[in-house]
Amino acid sequence: MIHVMRIVMQPARRSEKDVDQHYQDTIVTPVVFDDHADILEASTIDQLKQLFPDGQAQMWGIVPGKGNINLSRIKKMHTGDWVFFSGDKRIYFGGTIALMWRNKELATRLWGTDHAGSTWEYMYALSGTRGFDIPVEEIRTLLDWNPRRNIMGISVLSEGESDTLQTLLTLDAATAVLEPVDTAQEEAAVASFDGELERTAQRAQRGEQAALKRRLLKGATGECALCGRDLPGTFLIAAHIKKRAMCTDDEKRDLANIAMLACTLGCDAVYEHGYVTVAAKGAIQVSSLVRGVPEVATYIREKLASRIVTWWSPSREPYYQWHRTHTFKDAPPV
């Protein structure tokens, strides 16, 4: 059976002293596996070292809860799922579940126990983590939640809600996940799909893209806003600075500011996937997480490092600011 990536909402208010201490102890400072070989099962250490060859990983855990209330929710969690850490009305951190296991002794060593004597024994290791700065209010609006709804306990979002957030926030799947791929099942799923392959909305968006490009491209060639290369129009697209699907109608119609020319030779992809962003005043900012993708790091170093984006302006800054807080692969907050 093919597992569809879900998004897990993990409440973790860092304004609470104990929560912040746990975050410092096992997120800011990853857990070294060999330091706990005396209480980690050999099979778990083997899996962790396969996933994390440097011998350490960021970890978190969940308490069973009163009357084991959390167990039904934990059973819905799987490797490959994304976890959003929320607290103080913001989403501030996230990553992919690389491995899950249960170890009460290790959890007690790492985090102690709560006021009820329970510990966070349902543990998971995270890979591909990054920082965010997204108001929970924005998540409520995006997913059409009740305006008063809060993230009170560990919860797994529906497939539809997860897909919406994954697409609109560009949540790339992490490579460090022990999840065998059943190619035959994937091909069968594609073959059996009988949904509409071409939608009117997609055609309308292509028309909008063409109109934007005509506005930005004044001749047969144009300059990529990111790398500055002068290229034939065939290799340039009108790239939305803020993801189009997250724009209001007024923002979509702000043709003078909402988009920039980006080349298909690499710049559009590294911006779209958050490996670079544009800081206030136009300096290109490079994600520290690019170290994990050497080929992408080489492209950025050769084409984009130390560049100033002349396309930046005060009127475009709100769109670039959105990209920095939602799409850019920022380092996890310390």
Side-chain angles (χ1 to χ4, degrees), residues 61-103:
I62 307 166
V63 295
K66 187 176 181 180
N68 291 327
I69 190 173
N70 286 331
L71 294 192
S72 61
R73 300 164 184 172
I74 293 168
K75 288 177 181 178
K76 295 178 182 178
M77 298 169 59
H78 298 86
T79 57
D81 287 344
W82 249 86
V83 179
F84 273 135
F85 279 45
S86 68
D88 304 304
K89 301 181 180 180
R90 307 193 81 75
I91 301 294
Y92 65 88
F93 173 73
T96 302
I97 298 175
L99 188 68
M100 298 181 67
W101 70 98
R102 184 183 183 185
N103 191 316

Side-chain angles (χ1 to χ4, degrees), residues 190-261:
V190 173
S192 64
F193 177 73
D194 59 0
E196 188 179 357
L197 292 174
E198 197 69 30
R199 295 183 175 89
T200 302
Q202 291 173 335
R203 291 193 291 271
Q205 287 176 27
R206 283 197 291 271
E208 180 185 322
Q209 160 72 207
L212 268 175
K213 185 172 178 178
R214 284 194 298 270
R215 182 183 181 91
L216 296 172
L217 189 64
K218 304 301 183 183
T221 65
E223 181 181 295
C224 173
L226 296 173
C227 68
R229 287 178 288 184
D230 192 64
L231 296 165
T234 305
F235 296 99
L236 295 165
I237 66 169
H240 277 75
I241 298 169
K242 173 181 177 179
K243 190 178 283 289
R244 183 192 180 279
M246 299 289 280
C247 291
T248 65
D249 285 346
D250 287 343
E251 289 172 337
K252 291 173 185 174
R253 291 182 171 86
D254 186 11
L255 302 184
N257 298 301
I258 192 59
M260 61 183 175
L261 285 177

Side-chain angles (χ1 to χ4, degrees), residues 17-298:
K17 184 178 179 180
D18 289 346
V19 174
D20 187 63
Q21 189 62 58
H22 293 179
Y23 184 88
Q24 296 293 334
D25 290 341
T26 61
I27 297 295
V28 175
T29 305
V31 178
V32 178
F33 313 142
D34 287 343
D35 289 350
H36 307 285
D38 59 320
I39 54 176
L40 264 172
E41 291 186 7
S43 59
T44 303
I45 288 185
D46 288 344
Q47 288 179 304
L48 286 168
K49 288 185 174 180
Q50 180 181 341
L51 290 163
F52 304 95
D54 63 348
Q56 58 183 359
Q58 296 167 309
M59 294 182 186
W60 204 252
I62 307 166
V63 295
K66 187 176 181 180
N68 291 327
I69 190 173
N70 286 331
L71 294 192
S72 61
R73 300 164 184 172
I74 293 168
K75 288 177 181 178
K76 295 178 182 178
M77 298 169 59
H78 298 86
T79 57
D81 287 344
W82 249 86
V83 179
F84 273 135
F85 279 45
S86 68
D88 304 304
K89 301 181 180 180
R90 307 193 81 75
I91 301 294
Y92 65 88
F93 173 73
T96 302
I97 298 175
L99 188 68
M100 298 181 67
W101 70 98
R102 184 183 183 185
N103 191 316
K104 187 172 184 177
E105 193 174 358
L106 177 60
T108 303
R109 177 183 289 180
L110 294 175
W111 302 305
T113 58
D114 65 12
H115 59 87
S118 298
T119 192
W120 296 264
E121 61 196 81
Y122 292 91
M123 302 180 65
Y124 56 88
L126 288 163
S127 64
T129 58
R130 53 188 271 209
F132 293 90
D133 186 15
I134 305 172
V136 169
E137 181 181 354
E138 188 173 323
I139 301 294
R140 289 193 197 107
T141 301
L142 189 62
L143 300 181
D144 198 27
W145 286 357
N146 184 303
R148 296 186 183 87
R149 178 173 172 178
N150 289 313
I151 302 168
M152 300 299 292
I154 187 79
S155 59
V156 181
L157 300 187
S158 69
E159 184 177 329
E161 290 175 329
S162 298
D163 186 58
T164 296
L165 287 183
Q166 179 191 14
T167 301
L168 299 185
L169 299 179
T170 318
L171 304 179
D172 297 332
T175 54
V177 175
L178 287 176
E179 187 92 75
V181 177
D182 190 326
T183 305
Q185 282 195 359
E186 287 189 347
E187 291 178 352
V190 173
S192 64
F193 177 73
D194 59 0
E196 188 179 357
L197 292 174
E198 197 69 30
R199 295 183 175 89
T200 302
Q202 291 173 335
R203 291 193 291 271
Q205 287 176 27
R206 283 197 291 271
E208 180 185 322
Q209 160 72 207
L212 268 175
K213 185 172 178 178
R214 284 194 298 270
R215 182 183 181 91
L216 296 172
L217 189 64
K218 304 301 183 183
T221 65
E223 181 181 295
C224 173
L226 296 173
C227 68
R229 287 178 288 184
D230 192 64
L231 296 165
T234 305
F235 296 99
L236 295 165
I237 66 169
H240 277 75
I241 298 169
K242 173 181 177 179
K243 190 178 283 289
R244 183 192 180 279
M246 299 289 280
C247 291
T248 65
D249 285 346
D250 287 343
E251 289 172 337
K252 291 173 185 174
R253 291 182 171 86
D254 186 11
L255 302 184
N257 298 301
I258 192 59
M260 61 183 175
L261 285 177
C263 72
T264 58
L265 303 180
C267 288
D268 177 58
V270 296
Y271 183 84
E272 175 71 16
H273 289 277
Y275 286 107
V276 299
T277 193
V278 178
K281 305 299 183 182
I284 285 184
Q285 185 176 345
V286 181
S287 169
S288 61
L289 304 184
V290 78
R291 291 192 298 265
V293 194
E295 295 81 3
V296 177
T298 298

